[in-house]
Amino acid sequence: ELLSLEGHKNVVYAIAFNNPFGNRIITGSFDKTCKVWDAESGECLHTLRGHLTEIVCLCFNPQSTIIATGSMDNTAKLWDVTTGQEMHTLLGHTAEIVSLNFNTYG
């Protein structure tokens, strides 16, 4: 075992690494949070709160400065990697957000 990331209070449904940098990991959970982890130490750097239901997808932008999360609450959110602060909520979907991604420019 290289690392164990512990802290969510329910099932972890999504995980992503900030490739090619490799120094951060994000996890999305049925506990309605996304956690940002230090990939070397396993320390939880931020817990992102704001979704009303389960987070089922997430990703880093190519520059590793923004995290996108998608939830069963029909919203996607953008978060600042450094501060852990919510930047924007994307509204208007009429169903769950089960997949998302950034283009190559971020």
Side-chain angles (χ1 to χ4, degrees), residues 7-69:
H8 283 290
K9 295 182 181 3
N10 205 327
V11 174
V12 172
Y13 197 79
I15 186 169
F17 292 81
N18 68 333
N19 294 326
F21 307 103
N23 64 330
R24 297 288 179 264
I25 301 168
I26 50 176
T27 52
S29 173
F30 279 21
D31 68 6
K32 309 174 201 169
T33 69
C34 171
K35 291 187 180 284
V36 182
W37 307 87
D38 180 282
E40 188 172 325
S41 70
E43 175 188 1
C44 181
L45 303 173
H46 302 292
T47 298
L48 313 180
R49 291 182 174 88
H51 282 291
L52 302 177
T53 59
E54 300 90 339
I55 294 174
V56 294
C57 55
L58 43 70
C59 65
F60 286 97
N61 72 334
Q63 298 78 19
S64 196
T65 57
I66 299 171
I67 295 165
T69 55

